[in-house]
Amino acid sequence: MNATIIEKILSSASKKKVSAGDRVWADVDLIAMRDFGGPNVIQEFKNNFGEKKVFDPEKVVFTFDLHIPPRTEKVAKNQKACREFAEEQRTRLFDINHGIGQHVLFEHGLVKPQDVIIGTDSHMNLLGALQSFSTGVGTTDIVAALATGKLWFRVPRTIKIEIDGKLKKGVYAKDIILHILKNLGTSGLIYKAVEFYGSTVDDLNLAGRITLTSMVTEMSGKIGFITPNNEIVSFVNERSGQKNEFVSADKNAEYEDVLNFEVDDLEPMVACPHSPDNVRSVREVEGTKIGQVFIGSCTNGRFDDLFEAAKILKGNKSKARLIIVPATMEVAKEAIEKGLYKIFIDAGAVVSNPSCALCTIGHPGVLAPYDVLLSTSNRNYLGKIGKDAEIYLCSPATAAASAINGEITDPRG
Amino acid sequence: MRLRGKVWKFGDDIDTDQIYPGKYLPLTDKEEMAEHAMEGIPDYENFSKMIKKGDIIVGGKNFGCGSSREHAPISIEYAGIDLIIAKSFARIFYRNCVNIGFPILEAEEEDIDNIDDSDELEIDLEKGEIRNLTKMKTFKGKALSGLEMEIMNAGGLLDYLKGSSKY
Ligand code: SF4
């Protein structure tokens, strides 16, 4: 036996033993569409299959997370089309009051280990933190899977990444993944799966694990898996209402490469414009003026992320325009209950409803040309949040410390 | 299938926001999408009007990285480009192309480095053979393998499924 995690999952989903390089038809456990992507899917599904029913309505779900509530008639129409389709087809739909899709799905127990999940977002793969094989796909993939319940995949080779050491105060999962990005580059994991191991990873909470797995996308990787600790096992079991079986790679699993990272001495990191692998230590760019700060997104929008920011913001005022957006309504509720909203508002922040927010241009908060945004999101391509605006990426702690000074600042003081 | 056209050359990591800026995501009409192909790249704002039907895009590494938007390959196809050759493709962009039956081809880095803007190429897709008519050079790209070629030849995933027992 020499299978990696992805080989095991795709073997069981395709009911035959497969290994890296094979092409398979796998059974799909969940299809997720959003307010973006969803309308294109509906149109193409109807064009091709008319009034046909989807293969299994229980396995199809809509999540609205991008333009919520809608700001334009076009978006409103798109969302209406999704609602109507969901009703016709009797699928679930999480409307504008829920938040970022992937997070809503696992909070509602729809994500289980070994599940094959496809969706219309490039960061579906953050669900590898819960050991599901989730991947972003295009319209045609979703249409095909809606009709048949199956989809083709190339089985990727796997790279093992070992991360060891104790993080210093003020250093987080985001700094680790930016450090790895700096080393591997934006095409470093092209068409590869990753398995993360090591003492540092074992200690990460759910939020930190999601930060790691979400940014596998920025290295062009397909999926990143993390072996669950007790916290993750009980979270997944409790949310899904069942006892789940997690998989591990075989002892002799074949890896394309094994990479080691020691993070004892890692410093806070920041990705500079206009690429997520243009990474420096915060120290190197300290003092860079920023106009706006965004704390949120599927990479850093969980309660633990907001909590780290709140610790720093407490009792301070933000010099930069500060926009804070919880990933989901569940996160927002906890943040309200634990007093975070008051801290944020007292610090001068705008706290918006849960959504993808400033991860893309679809949300209020776009930037004027040459304005500078410091963001906890995952991408900083030119034009992402406004023509010619500059985007830096960092951890919630670095974002909070920098907001207070109006310039990039080391959260360690 | 044989294709022939003029090259539009681009560099590494051409991402989906450059190929198809996020602000046009609400569009659902393919002809409208075509007007915005490559619009996010400085000097290529009018790409769809600059090209002739049958032209070829040649890219570097990781072409099409970024979001899962199928608008990206669709806009390029409907603008009139017949083929993209690159050193490597981002995975979602890759499968989106296969799924809509839009031809792509990977080739060795040094072979791609030897192609210049405006060169005239002739391509045999099945063999993966690329002839640079301007430079009088022929080299091999990586033709799509098995299943992907079958899907491409069927005209895309949906036509493939309709013609098979999977559906
Ligand atoms: S926050 Fe950004 S990357 Fe994450 S799910 Fe939303 S749009 Fe996608």
Side-chain angles (χ1 to χ4, degrees), chain B residues 82-127:
Chain B
D82 270 0
L83 167 72
I84 306 173
I85 305 175
K87 293 177 181 173
S88 60
F89 289 94
R91 53 175 204 87
I92 301 179
F93 189 88
Y94 176 97
R95 64 179 299 131
N96 282 344
C97 289
V98 171
N99 285 341
I100 63 172
F102 179 69
I104 47 172
L105 198 57
E106 284 179 345
E108 292 296 329
E109 299 203 3
E110 48 184 63
D111 290 328
I112 294 226
D113 290 337
N114 280 327
I115 304 176
D116 289 313
D117 217 21
S118 298
D119 281 0
E120 189 85 12
L121 304 183
E122 190 177 67
I123 288 97
D124 181 325
L125 271 185
E126 268 80 20
K127 293 202 193 116

Side-chain angles (χ1 to χ4, degrees), chain A residues 209-220:
Chain A
R209 287 163 186 248
I210 286 173
T211 305
L212 273 198
T213 52
S214 72
M215 289 192 74
V216 165
T217 304
E218 276 51 63
M219 291 174 271
S220 302

Side-chain angles (χ1 to χ4, degrees), chain A residues 23 48 74 139-141 152, chain B residues 26 66 70 95 99 148 162:
Chain A
R23 270 61 173 170
N48 281 279
K74 179 76 184 151
T139 311
T140 305
D141 282 310
W152 68 276
Chain B
E70 203 163 295
R95 64 179 299 131
N99 285 341
E148 287 133 47
K162 288 179 197 161

